[in-house]
Amino acid sequence: MADEVKQPLSEKASKDEAKQLSETASQSEVKQLSETDVHKESDLVSDDDEKPETMAEDSKTADEQVAGLEMTLTVPEPPKANEKAIEFLSSIGEDELLLTAFSETLGCFSDTKAQIGEFTILVQPAIYRGFEDCYLVHVTSHSTIDDIPCNSSIYAYVSKRFETLEQQRQEYIKMKEQFLEKKTHMVKQGDKLVVESFITEGKHFAPQLVKHHTTSYPWNTLEGFVSQASNFLILRILARRRAVPENMIFLVFDGEKNLCQSTYDELGFQMQTIGQDTIDVYGIERTIHSEVDLPISWQNYFLADGHLSSRFQVGSPISMKVLSMPVLVEKEEIDPKPKFGKQALNWEMDAQLSSQFLDWKEELSADHATYMRQHPEMRLLLSDFLQFLLLRKPDDVVTFAAEFFTPHSARRPAASSFRISNIKRRLHSYSLS
């Protein structure tokens, strides 16, 4: 019986020992796992944050862990233009902007120097929607690459404050029976800029709208924004100034209509042959720094008045060059108005003026004689006036005559003829001599 009791007790003791060993092992494993998790989480938090030390702190709910991760994530700020770019846009005057209003045409050439198309820029003053003065910018490009026609156009209205009021861009590629067309339309509507993009592809007899996307941006967040159309105005102004301010950062759209930054850099001067002439041209490079794609750069060379002499995209086999020397645009200088000194008019020596004077004199004399014949009382009235004039001998004859003839005026209301004698003289007092 004692053996039977002892055996279960020993078995119970062995079970307790095994349980203690398993608990010890499990605690050590949990501790190792918790330490590993602590090291992993320490990479996400800063040194100032408190690190978990106990099992209770590690055993957080899933919602609390997600909330903690959301607190550590930071939302990137949208791209913005810097102050130098905004100051440059505000420094452009109306006279300087008017000098960019001209048209030009360049030839498109392949890497084999064969002409494959044309590139045209037209800028002219216009009125947007009937009331706002602005500039119309029309850029077209058509070429044939590997027997594939490619056309693109930009049609835009840019205000004198360099705000893009409306712009429409269209790109078209034709491949045998298939075609691909991209359209982008942006317009200022109140306090926001609305951007719509359309992509259409398919066969000519069965076009299909593949994608349509609309985005709006608050207008106050687009300070320093430069559209594709206004970019050509900026390039012409920089070319005329022959200087590119450093560190100017503008706000633009990339190829996917995402806001990003754009910069302008000076390339310096170089010699270029145009026809029979060798001209010194000025280079400007524009780069779009997309946040989702590689940067895209265009190198442009200009004549002194802002005409393009050559243009090409870095990495592209197509280049654009002017075919012949254009007529340079010069600032129109208004001649000052001539000043003529005042000359004495001697009408007696002028036959025409002297003849006119004699005619008017005879006409007035005839009118006076006719009036006197029709009004015989005038002789009596003048006789009285001369008599009083000689008796009183006033210092101011004009005032005396005005007061004398006032009662006889036809425009004076009817009243007593002797009322004038009771009125105190306001201007002068006369006395008999």
Side-chain angles (χ1 to χ4, degrees), residues 149-372:
C150 304
N151 297 329
S152 65
S153 66
I154 299 173
Y155 193 88
Y157 293 95
V158 180
S159 71
K160 293 181 178 180
R161 300 182 301 274
F162 257 84
E163 297 176 348
T164 301
L165 305 175
E166 187 173 358
Q167 175 181 292
Q168 180 169 336
R169 180 179 181 181
Q170 181 176 0
E171 298 175 272
Y172 181 85
I173 300 176
K174 180 182 177 181
M175 299 170 289
K176 295 183 179 180
E177 296 182 356
Q178 299 287 331
F179 78 94
L180 175 63
E181 184 180 45
K182 295 182 180 181
K183 290 184 180 180
T184 304
H185 179 258
M186 65 176 66
V187 60
K188 180 182 178 184
Q189 294 181 356
D191 58 350
K192 61 182 179 180
L193 181 69
V194 180
V195 182
E196 286 187 283
S197 60
F198 306 86
I199 298 179
T200 306
E201 64 180 14
K203 297 184 178 180
H204 294 279
F205 56 86
Q208 182 179 0
L209 181 63
V210 177
K211 183 179 179 182
H212 175 213
H213 183 67
T214 303
T215 311
S216 62
Y217 301 88
W219 191 257
N220 55 7
T221 63
L222 297 178
E223 189 175 13
F225 172 74
V226 174
S227 64
Q228 294 163 322
S230 57
N231 163 62
F232 291 100
L233 300 180
I234 291 178
L235 287 173
R236 288 182 174 183
I237 291 172
L238 292 174
R240 291 189 65 91
R241 292 185 180 183
R242 283 296 198 259
V244 179
E246 296 182 355
N247 301 324
M248 289 195 308
I249 300 177
F250 295 90
L251 197 61
V252 297
F253 285 130
D254 61 9
E256 299 298 327
K257 303 302 175 291
N258 300 314
L259 280 175
C260 61
Q261 294 178 335
S262 174
T263 58
Y264 293 86
D265 297 304
E266 182 177 359
L267 297 177
F269 294 88
Q270 71 175 24
M271 304 302 293
Q272 180 177 338
T273 302
I274 303 176
Q276 302 296 327
D277 303 322
T278 302
I279 307 296
D280 195 13
V281 295
Y282 180 72
I284 302 173
E285 183 179 49
R286 185 204 184 204
T287 304
I288 294 180
H289 305 275
S290 176
E291 296 183 356
V292 296
D293 201 352
L294 295 175
I296 303 176
S297 299
W298 291 266
Q299 293 186 357
N300 310 268
Y301 287 89
F302 297 88
L303 302 177
D305 67 334
H307 272 89
L308 270 170
S309 63
S310 63
R311 169 184 169 88
F312 64 91
Q313 179 180 342
V314 177
S316 174
I318 300 176
S319 61
M320 305 171 190
K321 294 182 180 180
V322 65
L323 300 176
S324 60
M325 189 67 185
V327 178
L328 300 183
V329 178
E330 297 181 358
K331 184 177 181 180
E332 183 179 358
E333 297 182 359
I334 301 176
D335 296 333
K337 294 182 179 180
K339 298 181 180 179
F340 300 99
K342 188 175 180 180
Q343 298 179 356
L345 179 61
N346 189 1
W347 61 270
E348 294 179 350
M349 300 300 296
D350 191 303
Q352 183 178 0
L353 293 179
S354 179
S355 176
Q356 291 179 357
F357 171 75
L358 294 176
D359 293 340
W360 292 339
K361 182 179 179 180
E362 293 178 359
E363 184 179 353
L364 288 175
S365 297
D367 290 343
H368 291 164
T370 302
Y371 185 82
M372 294 297 290

Side-chain angles (χ1 to χ4, degrees), residues 123-137 155-158 160:
V123 179
Q124 64 182 20
I127 299 178
Y128 181 66
R129 295 186 176 179
F131 67 92
E132 184 169 358
D133 292 335
C134 63
Y135 284 87
L136 171 64
V137 181
Y155 193 88
Y157 293 95
V158 180
K160 293 181 178 180

